[in-house]
Structures are given as structure tokens and as C-alpha cells.
Amino acid sequence: MSERIEVESDSHSYPVLLENGLRYSFYHLLEDILPDHTKLMIIADETAASYYLEDLLASFPDSAKPVVTILPSGETSKSMVQYERLLTECLQEGLDRKSVIAALGGGVAGDIAGFTAATYMRGIRYVQIPTTLLAHDSSVGGKTGINHPLGKNMIGAFHAPSAVLYDPEMLISLPEKEWRSGFAEVIKHAFISSPEFFVWLQNHVHKLSSVDPSTLEKMLKKSIETKVAVVQEDEREAGVRAHLNFGHTLGHAIEAELGYGKTTHGEAVAVGMIFAMRLSEKFYGIKLPIEETVKYLEKLGYYLKLQKQVNAEKLLFIMKRDKKASGGSMRFVLLPELGRAELVDIREEMVLDLLEEEELT
Amino acid sequence: MSERIEVESDSHSYPVLLENGLRYSFYHLLEDILPDHTKLMIIADETAASYYLEDLLASFPDSAKPVVTILPSGETSKSMVQYERLLTECLQEGLDRKSVIAALGGGVAGDIAGFTAATYMRGIRYVQIPTTLLAHDSSVGGKTGINHPLGKNMIGAFHAPSAVLYDPEMLISLPEKEWRSGFAEVIKHAFISSPEFFVWLQNHVHKLSSVDPSTLEKMLKKSIETKVAVVQEDEREAGVRAHLNFGHTLGHAIEAELGYGKTTHGEAVAVGMIFAMRLSEKFYGIKLPIEETVKYLEKLGYYLKLQKQVNAEKLLFIMKRDKKASGGSMRFVLLPELGRAELVDIREEMVLDLLEEEELT
């Protein structure tokens, strides 16, 4: 089975292809999609490379083997040092303006490879070959970047890929914590766009390490379609794209405070989503299925008590820095109802009160 | 007197304002053009700052003084090290997505400040305040970037400014070699678009250190309009924008070989233009006013024998690397007639022969 989702970006449209075993025909797909390209450089996450690089390379004829460079696994690779090294390799390998970069790996490989492509010779094309569940989210939409010691993703560019080539079979090698990390974004897409999708997930996904292939494909398709709908409407995050930050305001603060890579992104986001739901209940005076969500997430192995380990005032400070609070209020993505998100200005004290409550429970 | 040229970029339109004394009202201009901006950071070239920073700052009320950071003068500042330092300062000073960067200086300050703006938080706005003649060219069109040890401008992005605020009075402090550097681009604009403009220049500009204010303003306006017409048609250099590289293929090779900063950009480009004219004569079998141009340039103080100092084969090697020759030919911008440019594939031997001839004369 195979799925194709077309994405319109500001500068061009590109396909997201979902297909089991797609990695074996990578060479032909690339020739089809970018027939005029010159050199290809694959920037491969070390772990992903150990599983799948050979499969990808086997699809190339001997006369057209690509250049390959390996990126150490982990968030610390999204650094200025690695970025500079990749640019140097592009130059040493003679990549020109018609060359293509392919990112094999998760969000880290996609982000730094995309940023390298965005800024090499003022921008060359790149394709994403996501190998994690989390990357179903990050590979679509054209956000690229690296981290700065003072903040995550602070250096970057909007640069849409020329294709996202997603082979769900590659997800089977993922450790369970990586499933949890990615699944948080799937749930997020359900929460901000479709209560039915949340029900479907509860009915079909009971254990993250053993999602059957057809469920996985449906889930990926639905989740990617939500992301695509949002980024097509607002590629540069002037409006609704901010809704995708649901759960991320606190999530990022937790990650920053614990140190990037010490928790998974998704686990921090899961905690952030529960928090944003509680805040939504307070702010709008409504009821959301929080207990049900907590139960579901805990059944799937999420550890939701992360936030208790970190000081409420510290978290507020980090969130304010990121979200440029003005005059005692800060911006938060909340849910006026399940399936619909809204960006609202919320008083700092309300946020702090709730953070402090959570610390104690 | 004041001139306003409106430029359409892919993402927005922006004004180029030409006005003597404009620097004294910088604060009000910025408030007019970007009323919703938060913080402002001025990235100022050291030399330009010593002359004009005080004037700029005097326009701000005490309650709204901008952040200022100084960039050492010279091409070596377009480095990864300076880029990283500027990003760090943006973060330390708390610049957010609605903040603005202003570049005070020549092409170096504009390029690195623009690239910093292009990649800080995936792109914030910036304005150019050019203080050199050369920057009348580089400040328009949205090319930003820094150098890599393996190549000039190899790292960068297309990111159009929100305004170019040009105060020609600031050019009076320029040393004569900087006038020569910038004037080469003025002549280039005449050569690729308007033989009448070339005649006008010959009649009005006789000595570069003493161009009278009204001639200067007319010259800037005409030269900027040529640049604007080209970049509006082809912002991302897919086609006609390449014509702006007239004289630059050899010019860049000379700069690279002598070491960036050892010659001025314009002097190298002047040599490159004469060479490209000779090549055009050979290629098309036509006559161009080469002797007239050489005489005019020499009268203005250009040293046109630069190229004799460098080995022909070495220059060819560098040009091929930059211009990705394919199958024994390379791309060159030539003039089928004065006032019209064309990108052509030309055999390497023809280029080498002419380079070797020049070496001997």
C-alpha cells in the first residue's frame, strides 16, 4: 500500500510518500522527483545509518553512488560545530547549486541537514527520509535549524523539502521511548483538529511497541494530513501554525531545564499537553477529557510526573523568555474544546498557580 | 532632494530611500516603516560607526536607545566566528521575532547582519544603512551571507531587507579606493543595461573623490534602478540575475587568489569586466569600446594590470570550481552588445588562451 500527500509551500509543492519498503527504491524515487539534480549527499544519523543506510545505497547503480556523511545520534548534534562541518564537507565534495542533500534519520538529522541545505550557496534542495515516528511531524513544513547554547532551535530558516520519503517499516527498529516521543505529536494533532481521531487512536493503538502496519500507516497519514493542513495555511507561523505548539510551551521549558536529550521531546510535550488542558479548563471554565488522556498516556508508558521535578518559578521564567510575555501576560495555545486550538494571552499568575499546584500533587 | 525606489521581493515590497542627511532621522524613519517592531540592534562596521553612529543614535529618544554591536572592518569579519557572536548577542539582548537588525556599513556589515537576521529565530526583519558606494549594489536584492575558508559567500540565504536607507552624504568620508570599488558596479550596471548611462558617466564623473552631490544622487538612483529591475525579475538567481555577475567570474577568482581583502572587490571586478569584454569580442566577433573603457577606468585611478600577477591556469581552476564547468565548457556573462548581457557556455580553452595572452601583454 502506498499513500501520497501533496504539500503546497510558499515556494513549491512537494510530495510526502508513505510506503513500506520505499527505502529500497530511493534512487529511482529521487531520479523521478528531482531529475535535474547533480550530486547527492546523504546526511545520516548514526543509528539510522546502522540499520538502513545499506538498503538505501543498494538502490543506487555503481556509477551514481552518493556521498555519505554520518551525524552522531542525539540532540547535541544540532550544534554550530556540526553545522560548520557539514558545510565544509559540502564544499569539499563539490556540491553545487543543483545538488541535493538527503536527511536519513529523525528530527535532529532532518533539522540540521535542512538548515545546511537552506544556507549552502544560499539554499539548495533537500529531501527528508524520516526514520522515527517523531519525524512524521518535523519532516513536514520546512522548519529547519540548530540549537544555540542559549536556546533550542534559535538558529534556523524556513526551507521546505523537495520530498518527504517515509518508509514506515523503518520504524520497527525504534526503541519504545522513541515511539512515545513521536506518538505525543500524533495525539497533539488529534487534540487540535479532530476528537474523532483521538477516539480512533484509543481504539486502535494500545501498545506502542507493537502497532500493526496498517494501523501505523493510517495513523501516520491522518497525523501528517493535520500538520499539512496547518502549515499550508500558515507556513511562516504568523497565525494558526502556532497551534502546533500546543503542549510545547511547557514541554520546551521542561526540556531546557532538564537539559536537552535528558528527557524525550514527546514525553515533555505529553506533560505540556496535560498542563495546557488543565489551563484550558481554568481559562474557559470547561471540562476536557483530562483523566481519560492521563490514563491512556500512562497505559502507553508515558511518565507524566516529570514536571514535579522542576521548580515552578524556573519553568515560568523559561516560558516567559521563550514566549516574550508582555505586561504580565504570556501567550499559550489552549483548547476551547477538544479538536480546536486557540492562541490566547494568559496572566502569568494563572500559569504559575497551576504549575505550583502540580508541583505539590 | 530625496528619491524613493520601491522594490518587490518574493515575500514583501520595501523602499530604497536616497536622501542627504537621512541618518539624522533614522529613528522616525524606522518607526514609520516598521511601526510594530520591538527591539532594535544596530550592527555597525567599526569605521562607519566612528563616523556616523553618533548621528544615528542622536535621532533616538532616551527611552528607546537601540542595542549596538561593533563589527571589525574588513572582509575577514564575514566569518562563522563573527556570525556566531552576533547570534549570541541577539539572544543575550533578548531580541524576539518582531525585533529588527540594522546594518550600518558597507557590503560586509550588510551581508553578515542580513544573514544573522535571516537565520535568527528562522528569520527576523532587517534594514540596510549603506555607508559605501559599493553597498548601493549589495544592499539591494536580499543576498546575505558569510564566507567559508573554502569560498566566498558560500554560506548564506536570500532574505530581503525591510528598507534600504541610503544617505549619500555618508559617502564623503570614503577613501578613494572605496570609491573605485563601488564605482565598478555602477559601470557594470551601465554595461549590462544602458549604453547611454555609460556615456552619461563618462561626461559627469571625472574624478572619483569629488563627485558633486547632485551627480552622485543621479548616479546612485540610475544604478540602483538597474539592479532593482534585474532582481525583481529574478530574485533567486534562476535566470537574468546571473547577468549581474558580469565581470565577477574572473573578478572573484582574482580576489580568491590574491586573498580576500588584498585587492578591492571593485578593482578586481573592473579587471574582470575588461576581460569579459575581450572574451565577448572573440566569442561574438564584435567590437566593444574596450580601449575607451580602459582609458576611462585608468583616468579614474583603476589599476587594471592585477591579473598579470596571477597564473592563468590557477585562475581558470578557481573559475571552474565556482562556475561548475561541465564537459570542458564554463558559464560566462558576456555582452553581445553594449547594454545587453547574456549567459553563455564557453569553451575552457578560449578562456585560458585569453588569460594567457593577458599574462604576457
Side-chain angles (χ1 to χ4, degrees), chain A residues 88 119 121-122 148 154 156, chain B residues 84 88 119 121-122 148 154 156:
Chain A
T88 301
T119 54
M121 293 188 166
R122 297 198 194 92
H148 185 282
M154 284 294 141
Chain B
E84 201 172 344
T88 301
T119 55
M121 293 188 166
R122 296 196 195 94
H148 186 282
M154 284 294 142

Side-chain angles (χ1 to χ4, degrees), chain B residues 76-124:
Chain B
T76 49
S77 278
K78 273 175 66 174
S79 66
M80 195 57 100
V81 170
Q82 287 292 339
Y83 169 58
E84 201 172 344
R85 173 185 71 87
L86 292 175
L87 289 167
T88 301
E89 289 200 24
C90 289
L91 282 163
Q92 284 170 341
E93 297 291 347
L95 266 67
D96 62 29
R97 289 185 185 179
K98 292 197 159 186
S99 295
V100 171
I101 286 174
L104 175 72
V108 168
D111 282 2
I112 188 170
F115 186 54
T116 303
T119 55
Y120 181 67
M121 293 188 166
R122 296 196 195 94
I124 63 172

Side-chain angles (χ1 to χ4, degrees), chain B residues 265-317:
Chain B
H265 177 65
E267 208 125 37
V269 167
V271 172
M273 289 195 292
I274 301 292
F275 181 78
M277 284 169 93
R278 289 198 211 284
L279 205 54
S280 301
E281 286 195 341
K282 269 189 141 180
F283 184 79
Y284 296 108
I286 54 165
K287 278 298 287 174
L288 290 169
I290 296 179
E291 295 321 309
E292 189 187 330
T293 305
V294 167
K295 249 187 227 161
Y296 181 52
L297 288 172
E298 284 181 340
K299 183 177 91 176
L300 294 175
Y302 283 85
Y303 175 68
L304 300 176
K305 306 204 183 303
L306 264 181
Q307 170 191 348
K308 295 187 190 175
Q309 303 169 355
V310 278
N311 178 270
E313 304 244 3
K314 190 68 196 276
L315 288 175
L316 186 74
F317 174 80

Side-chain angles (χ1 to χ4, degrees), chain A residues 54-206:
Chain A
E54 212 175 304
D55 297 347
L56 278 187
L57 292 181
S59 72
F60 287 79
D62 282 342
S63 60
K65 293 291 181 197
V67 180
V68 176
T69 184
I70 302 293
L71 195 68
S73 297
E75 186 75 24
T76 50
S77 279
K78 273 175 66 173
S79 66
M80 195 57 99
V81 170
Q82 287 293 339
Y83 169 58
E84 202 173 344
R85 173 184 72 86
L86 291 174
L87 289 167
T88 301
E89 289 200 24
C90 289
L91 281 163
Q92 284 169 341
E93 297 291 347
L95 267 68
D96 62 29
R97 289 184 185 180
K98 293 197 158 187
S99 296
V100 171
I101 287 174
L104 175 72
V108 168
D111 282 1
I112 188 170
F115 186 53
T116 303
T119 54
Y120 182 67
M121 293 188 166
R122 297 198 194 92
I124 63 171
R125 295 167 296 179
Y126 75 113
V127 300
Q128 300 263 22
I129 311 167
T131 60
T132 67
L133 178 57
L134 183 55
H136 89 277
D137 181 41
S138 59
S139 64
V140 174
K143 278 192 181 179
T144 71
I146 56 176
N147 298 329
H148 185 282
L150 297 177
K152 212 178 152 176
N153 292 322
M154 284 294 141
I155 308 166
F158 286 98
H159 187 58
S162 294
V164 179
L165 305 172
Y166 208 165
D167 180 350
E169 263 181 26
M170 297 201 287
L171 302 186
I172 56 174
S173 60
L174 283 181
E176 193 169 331
K177 83 176 175 123
E178 287 299 321
W179 279 96
R180 277 200 299 278
S181 190
F183 192 70
E185 301 290 349
V186 177
I187 292 186
K188 179 194 77 181
H189 288 147
F191 281 165
I192 65 169
S193 78
S194 164
E196 299 76 25
F197 185 32
F198 182 54
V199 173
W200 184 89
L201 287 171
Q202 286 175 294
N203 290 335
H204 290 81
V205 180
H206 304 290

